Amino acid sequence: MAENFREFQPGNNAGNERGTQNKNTSFGRLAAGIVILIILAVLALESVYSIGEQEQGVVTTFGNAGSVVTSGLHFKIPFVQRVTKVNTTILGFPIGYRSGSDENASQEQIDDESLMITSDFNFVNVDFYVEYKVSDPVKYLYNSQQPKEILKNIAQSCIRNIISNYMVDDVITTGKSKIQAEIKEMIIEKLEEQDIGLMLVNISMQDAEPPTEDVIEAFKAVETAKQGKETAINNANKYRNEKIPEASAKADQITQDAEAARQERVNEGIAQAARFNEMYAEYQKNPVLTRQRMFYEAMEEVLPGVKLIIDDGSGDLNKTLYLDELQLEDITGDRQAQDTQETP
């Protein structure tokens, strides 16, 4: 009973209160230290940030855009500055179709985007793929709320505008490269006007075909015919390239032969003129003798080719003389006589 009485004495209660206060003070200091450490850790984490190699960061101070930082480790003022990271790699999206999540999955056609009308009032389904990247991170973040959608709308507008200037044959077959170049140029011009911080890298026409199977087959037949036409033209050009040199060689040969004949005739004419002048000079000296000589020479040239028959008109063949036969007999007799004289 005495011990219990001492525990409830006033002096002992004061000692217990001081012990409790000391314990509370130590716990408060420990809690404050922990809070301070947490705050310092948070401040340290908020002060340091990193930017990837294919990223850029936009630093804002109290909501106002400031500098643009590149890849690496950087520092900022905690709770005052914020950093928004922007992907600067080349990105892309399709127009006219949707790709499946699986690589082997078939593409889904979107008629609202792909169906277009050409200048000759035909319909055609055209698919495109647009590649773009961020050129200005600040404008990309703050000049518009949906820059990608704006780019897509610009691309669709430009595509329809350019396609409507071409005939369906050009869109499906031979005009793809020119169409892509014109669309790209127009999109770049529109993006500069909108100034949304995006730049067009490339736009490519994936596919172009008529909207129905029957029309597709007809266009395939047209394309086959065009290829046959090109083949025929190439073969014709090959044949022409082979024959033109031959014809040129023949023409040169004919020209050379004609030139040689001309020169021969000219030389002959010059010789005849010279001979005529000589004969004329002789004729002036002795006209009668010259005429006789010319007559005899003409007869020597003419008579050997003339067949002469002498007939008295009585109709008796025995009285008909064939001079060529007589001449032949004379020649034969002369040869026999000559042979007889030469024989010993």
Side-chain angles (χ1 to χ4, degrees):
M1 293 295 294
E3 293 177 357
N4 293 334
F5 179 77
R6 284 197 298 269
E7 289 178 359
F8 291 99
Q9 291 179 355
N12 292 332
N13 289 336
N16 291 333
E17 290 178 359
R18 284 195 298 271
T20 302
Q21 290 178 355
N22 292 332
K23 289 180 179 180
N24 291 336
T25 303
S26 299
F27 180 77
R29 291 177 180 176
L30 179 61
I34 293 173
V35 170
I36 292 172
L37 289 176
I38 293 173
I39 293 173
L40 291 177
V42 171
L43 291 176
L45 292 175
E46 286 290 327
S47 300
V48 180
Y49 65 95
S50 62
I51 302 295
E53 292 183 357
Q54 297 180 340
E55 294 178 331
Q56 288 184 343
V58 178
V59 180
T60 58
T61 304
F62 294 112
N64 296 322
S67 60
V68 177
V69 294
T70 57
S71 61
L73 190 64
H74 303 275
F75 297 92
K76 64 182 179 67
I77 302 174
F79 307 108
V80 176
Q81 292 181 325
R82 296 186 63 184
V83 178
T84 304
K85 298 179 181 180
V86 177
N87 187 359
T88 57
T89 59
I90 296 177
L91 305 174
F93 57 84
I95 294 178
Y97 68 96
R98 290 288 182 274
S99 299
S101 58
D102 187 3
E103 293 182 356
N104 297 325
S106 60
Q107 297 178 349
E108 178 186 357
Q109 189 78 30
I110 302 177
D111 293 335
D112 291 342
E113 296 181 359
S114 64
L115 188 61
M116 304 178 191
I117 188 170
T118 59
S119 62
D120 52 351
F121 303 103
N122 283 305
F123 290 96
V124 61
N125 282 326
V126 188
D127 299 334
F128 286 86
Y129 190 79
V130 180
E131 294 178 296
Y132 69 96
K133 65 180 297 185
V134 176
S135 59
D136 191 324
V138 176
K139 294 179 180 179
Y140 172 75
L141 292 174
Y142 300 107
N143 281 17
S144 61
Q145 292 183 352
Q146 295 179 326
K148 179 181 175 181
E149 292 299 322
I150 294 175
L151 173 59
K152 186 174 183 179
N153 292 334
I154 291 175
Q156 288 180 334
S157 175
C158 295
I159 289 171
R160 294 185 181 278
N161 192 358
I162 298 300
I163 293 293
S164 65
N165 296 329
Y166 284 85
M167 299 181 67
V168 66
D169 287 344
D170 297 330
V171 176
I172 295 178
T173 57
T174 59
K176 291 184 178 180
S177 298
K178 188 176 181 181
I179 290 173
Q180 288 179 176
E182 292 185 10
I183 292 174
K184 183 177 181 180
E185 182 179 356
M186 182 176 289
I187 293 176
I188 292 174
E189 186 176 325
K190 296 291 185 181
L191 283 177
E192 291 178 354
E193 294 177 359
Q194 295 296 324
D195 197 22
I196 57 176
L198 292 179
M199 64 174 292
L200 180 69
V201 177
N202 189 30
I203 181 169
S204 57
M205 185 184 296
Q206 301 295 305
D207 193 15
E209 60 183 13
T212 62
E213 292 295 332
D214 294 337
V215 180
I216 290 175
E217 293 299 326
F219 274 101
K220 288 181 178 179
V222 171
E223 182 63 21
T224 303
K226 287 184 178 180
Q227 293 177 358
K229 172 187 172 183
E230 294 296 330
T231 302
I233 291 174
N234 293 333
N235 293 334
N237 290 332
K238 179 181 178 181
Y239 179 79
R240 181 193 65 181
N241 294 333
E242 291 176 352
K243 293 300 180 181
I244 285 178
E246 295 179 4
S248 299
K250 290 182 179 179
D252 292 339
Q253 185 63 39
I254 294 172
T255 302
Q256 293 176 3
D257 294 342
E259 182 64 24
R262 182 188 71 85
Q263 191 63 37
E264 183 180 355
R265 294 293 181 86
V266 170
N267 295 335
E268 183 180 355
I270 293 174
Q272 289 181 357
R275 186 168 60 251
F276 179 81
N277 291 331
E278 292 177 357
M279 292 178 61
Y280 182 69
E282 295 295 330
Y283 177 80
Q284 287 181 335
K285 295 177 182 179
N286 195 343
V288 176
L289 183 60
T290 302
R291 282 199 299 269
Q292 290 178 354
R293 180 182 173 185
M294 293 175 62
F295 176 76
Y296 292 149
E297 290 177 354
M299 289 301 101
E300 287 179 356
E301 294 179 359
V302 173
L303 289 178
V306 177
K307 184 177 182 181
L308 295 179
I309 301 173
I310 300 175
D311 190 0
D312 61 355
S314 62
D316 189 358
L317 297 178
N318 294 325
K319 295 182 179 181
T320 301
L321 300 177
Y322 296 93
L323 296 183
D324 54 348
E325 295 178 358
L326 294 175
Q327 184 179 7
L328 181 60
E329 290 178 357
D330 293 339
I331 294 172
T332 304
D334 292 341
R335 287 181 178 177
Q336 291 176 353
Q338 185 177 2
D339 294 338
T340 302
Q341 292 177 359
E342 292 178 355
T343 303

